[in-house]
Amino acid sequence: MKRFVLFSMLFLAFFSLNALEVNQPELESVGKDTIEFINYTGPHTVINTKDEIAGIGSALGEKVAPNVANKYETGDNSKYYVIHAVDSSVKTGLDADILILGKNANVDHIKNLRSIISSYLVSAYGYSKADADTLAVFITVYNAVYRNDLDTYKSKYKEIVTKNLTKENCGISVNYKDWAGKTQLVIPLLNPVDGGLSTIDTTIISDSTVIESMQEEDERGVDERKNLVDIKEREADVAQEEAKEAQKEATVAKQEVTKAKEELKQVEEEKKAVEKELEEAKEELAENPTDKKAQEAVKEAEKKVEEVEEKVEEAVAKVEEKVEEAEKKAEEAKEAQSFADKKLSEAQTERSEIATDQQKNIADAKAEAKMVTTYGLQLVDSSNLLSKLVFLDVETGKIVKSSPVQVIRNRSIVSTGNGFAAIAGEDSGENQAIRLVILDSENLEIVSQTEEDVAPNAVLVSADNYLYTVVKSTSGFVVAKYSNDLRLQAKSTLKVMETTPITVTDKGIVVTDSYGAVKLLSKSDLSTISTQTVDYSSAK
């Protein structure tokens, strides 16, 4: 069993009162199918609103909605594109929508991707937002579990679906860096035309492997699992009503069969009578071959036989039609009842498992309430020195809470009393930035950020309730001074090295300018106080 994580070798950095930093290698051992999505959680140059993000899915869904019965494609294949892969002529396997993230797709957080999926389900199939939000969670975990597993998709889906998938890109990576241009997210469709609540196949997206993965999440994924159970129970209720209605129709159809058979019996009796009449007319004609009345009687009898034979054929066809209709209704009732029983059974099993996990959550909460914790940084990218904030049980060293922000730079963080200040972010993406940020002490998420871009390799120094770092200017780098709530206090006019140390003393702030000279800056406004004399002519 393996957890999909960015790095397997982890380092833990602990902060003490004297700023002592300790690195402790730790090989993380976790379950095989556990899914831990790695998102970009740092600052952005442009922050899209929730409505703007959801609008991507809504626009795609609005195009698909009028075309649910047939194959249909829509969107921008360089960004967000949907293949509505439906083939009603094939009865074996599932149809699917394939959401393709093109090379220019900017989504970099699983919450935003789920928002796109959810809004798509609302506009394409009429799901409520609450149900669509739940389904989006399971759809993403399902696709991560079966990432690159083309054989599994081929065993479950119709050819119209799988011919649009590749082994390299099917499903979704757990790492946002592998999403754009490398994602074919499969949304399984059980009944895309008039499925209602059962449009999406809730069974396949909540198989045992998916559930096992969700049990490794915070709170064991209990809330989302309860929400899906609720959907399944409502699916069962709808199917149960459909089964009852189909059973009523089947009963009526059986009555129609009985009625049609009685009509057939009457017509067959009528046929026997006219056949006897014809036989008697022929006998009389045989005795009097030239008798015109006898000749007319035979012709009239033959006509009656012909007419009644047509009536018999019609009655037989009607019986066959009613029998077929009755069998169809009976099968519909059986299938609906079977579906209802299946969903109800799944719901009952999952409710039992959820109840067990809720008890475990309660026990965990009680244990955590007694814990004494401290904070530190966990190194997640040794090449770029990127870390995340964690809280630890001081007795066992176990991580009890992790920040979703995994792009804290240069192994440095400062407690501000109400939160944590850090330089965070990356600038490799179109909408990514490196900024000074504040992480909330409760959820460990970014709650504010500076407007200025921070130098990628800048230090962060805290002194006298102020924060100092190096930010970008139009012509280089300068020192910036911020309050603990990130209000800009001053910027130096002096250009400094991106990697300059910042030493705060009683007399001023010592830095290294862009030429390598040591300078002293005023603590109040960062103006230059004194300058080191440097012989630049001897510099190599």
Side-chain angles (χ1 to χ4, degrees):
M1 303 261 298
K2 66 179 182 180
R3 174 180 288 180
F4 301 98
V5 291
L6 188 57
F7 292 94
S8 59
M9 185 64 73
L10 305 173
F11 295 87
L12 218 47
F14 298 91
F15 287 78
S16 65
L17 292 177
N18 60 2
L20 178 65
E21 182 178 271
V22 180
N23 291 328
Q24 177 181 342
E26 179 187 6
L27 184 62
E28 188 169 308
S29 175
V30 282
K32 170 189 177 187
D33 298 309
T34 301
I35 300 301
E36 181 181 334
F37 284 103
I38 299 169
N39 308 293
Y40 177 72
T41 50
H44 291 85
T45 56
V46 177
I47 300 176
N48 296 110
T49 66
K50 291 181 179 179
D51 288 344
E52 287 172 336
I53 294 167
I56 297 169
S58 296
L60 294 170
E62 287 168 2
K63 295 290 186 180
V64 170
N67 302 284
V68 292
N70 304 299
K71 185 176 184 293
Y72 185 78
E73 299 184 18
T74 186
D76 181 349
N77 56 20
S78 70
K79 289 188 175 181
Y80 305 95
Y81 194 76
V82 167
I83 300 175
H84 181 66
V86 172
D87 186 353
S88 59
S89 67
V90 177
K91 304 304 178 184
T92 303
L94 292 168
D95 297 308
D97 286 328
I98 305 171
L99 174 59
I100 296 174
L101 303 184
K103 63 181 180 180
N104 296 324
N106 290 325
V107 62
D108 55 14
H109 197 293
I110 194 63
K111 289 182 179 179
N112 293 340
L113 179 58
R114 287 169 176 169
S115 177
I116 293 171
I117 297 168
S118 174
S119 58
Y120 173 79
L121 297 180
V122 170
S123 60
Y125 302 115
Y127 276 101
S128 70
K129 184 179 184 303
D131 287 346
D133 286 348
T134 297
L135 293 170
V137 171
F138 281 85
I139 287 168
T140 50
V141 175
Y142 167 75
N143 274 268
V145 166
Y146 294 105
R147 170 69 166 173
N148 304 134
D149 192 352
L150 185 59
D151 289 340
T152 292
Y153 289 110
K154 285 183 175 180
S155 70
K156 303 290 185 182
Y157 295 84
K158 298 176 183 178
E159 183 183 2
I160 194 171
V161 176
T162 57
K163 71 180 182 181
N164 291 291
L165 303 177
T166 65
K167 181 174 178 60
E168 294 75 18
N169 295 335
C170 63
I172 187 170
S173 169
V174 295
N175 192 331
Y176 75 94
K177 293 181 179 180
D178 296 324
W179 289 356
K182 301 176 183 178
T183 300
Q184 297 163 340
L185 190 138
V186 179
I187 302 174
L189 301 177
L190 186 63
N191 187 351
V193 178
D194 55 3
L197 199 60
S198 295
T199 300
I200 305 301
D201 189 332
T202 55
T203 297
I204 197 170
I205 62 173
S206 61
D207 66 19
S208 59
T209 307
V210 172
I211 296 300
E212 286 173 8
S213 174
M214 295 192 72
Q215 286 174 317
E216 296 297 327
E217 297 180 359
D218 290 342
E219 302 293 322
R220 296 176 173 84
V222 161
D223 288 343
E224 294 298 345
R225 289 162 60 199
K226 286 169 66 176
N227 290 340
L228 190 67
V229 167
D230 177 66
I231 293 175
K232 289 186 177 184
E233 288 175 339
R234 282 184 279 132
E235 283 186 281
D237 290 342
V238 171
Q240 188 69 57
E241 289 301 315
E242 290 175 349
K244 289 180 181 178
E245 188 61 32
Q247 188 58 57
K248 289 179 182 178
E249 293 176 355
T251 300
V252 172
K254 287 180 180 179
Q255 293 171 348
E256 292 292 327
V257 169
T258 301
K259 182 179 178 181
K261 286 181 177 180
E262 290 175 353
E263 292 175 356
L264 174 59
K265 184 177 180 181
Q266 291 174 1
V267 174
E268 287 175 338
E269 290 295 327
E270 184 180 347
K271 179 183 178 183
K272 289 179 181 179
V274 296
E275 286 176 341
K276 184 177 181 181
E277 183 180 335
L278 175 59
E279 185 180 347
E280 291 173 350
K282 285 181 177 180
E283 288 175 355
E284 186 174 341
L285 180 60
E287 293 176 358
N288 302 287
T290 59
D291 188 335
K292 289 185 178 181
K293 286 186 178 182
Q295 291 174 356
E296 287 297 325
V298 169
K299 288 181 180 180
E300 186 67 25
E302 287 176 340
K303 183 179 179 182
K304 288 181 179 180
V305 169
E306 185 178 333
E307 289 176 350
V308 80
E309 284 178 343
E310 289 180 2
K311 291 170 69 176
V312 168
E313 289 178 3
E314 290 175 357
V316 169
K318 185 176 181 180
V319 169
E320 291 175 348
E321 178 187 346
K322 295 299 181 182
V323 168
E324 183 179 350
E325 184 178 343
E327 290 176 347
K328 180 182 177 182
K329 292 298 181 182
E331 184 61 27
E332 288 177 359
K334 180 180 178 182
E335 289 178 356
Q337 186 61 55
S338 176
F339 184 81
D341 292 343
K342 175 185 176 183
K343 291 299 177 181
L344 191 57
S345 176
E346 288 179 11
Q348 290 174 340
T349 298
E350 289 165 21
R351 280 213 181 277
S352 177
E353 293 175 351
I354 289 170
T356 299
D357 285 344
Q358 284 179 310
Q359 292 302 312
K360 293 179 181 178
N361 288 344
I362 292 171
D364 289 347
K366 290 180 178 178
E368 289 178 12
K370 299 177 181 178
M371 287 181 187
V372 177
T373 61
T374 190
Y375 70 91
L377 287 179
Q378 185 180 35
L379 190 65
V380 295
D381 183 343
S382 58
S383 298
N384 297 302
L385 298 183
L386 300 179
S387 307
K388 67 177 178 180
L389 176 65
V390 297
F391 275 85
L392 310 157
D393 177 356
V394 297
E395 183 176 343
T396 66
K398 178 183 177 182
I399 296 175
V400 295
K401 180 176 286 189
S402 294
S403 171
V405 182
Q406 302 197 36
V407 286
I408 295 174
R409 304 186 70 85
N410 303 327
R411 300 164 295 169
S412 179
I413 197 164
V414 173
S415 175
T416 62
N418 294 324
F420 298 90
I423 299 169
E426 295 183 285
D427 56 6
S428 56
E430 179 180 336
N431 191 32
Q432 297 174 358
I434 299 173
R435 303 276 172 85
L436 183 59
V437 303
I438 296 294
L439 277 65
D440 178 78
S441 58
E442 182 67 25
N443 299 317
L444 310 187
E445 296 180 349
I446 293 176
V447 291
S448 61
Q449 66 180 50
T450 60
E451 294 183 2
E452 297 77 21
D453 290 321
V454 177
N457 297 310
V459 296
L460 174 61
V461 173
S462 174
D464 304 323
N465 292 319
Y466 291 104
L467 301 168
Y468 300 88
T469 189
V470 177
V471 300
K472 294 181 179 179
S473 70
T474 55
S475 58
F477 299 98
V478 298
V479 178
K481 175 183 178 182
Y482 294 93
S483 63
N484 279 341
D485 58 1
L486 299 191
R487 286 178 294 174
L488 180 64
Q489 305 296 303
K491 284 196 292 187
S492 70
T493 56
L494 178 75
K495 302 297 184 294
V496 298
M497 285 188 171
E498 173 190 356
T499 54
T500 178
I502 298 176
T503 307
V504 181
T505 72
D506 292 340
K507 304 300 182 182
I509 300 172
V510 180
V511 297
T512 304
D513 73 8
S514 57
Y515 294 101
V518 174
K519 301 291 178 70
L520 184 65
L521 305 179
S522 165
K523 293 174 67 175
S524 60
D525 61 4
L526 300 184
S527 59
T528 305
I529 297 176
S530 63
T531 303
Q532 175 191 23
T533 302
V534 179
D535 181 5
Y536 295 112
S537 63
S538 63
K540 295 182 180 180

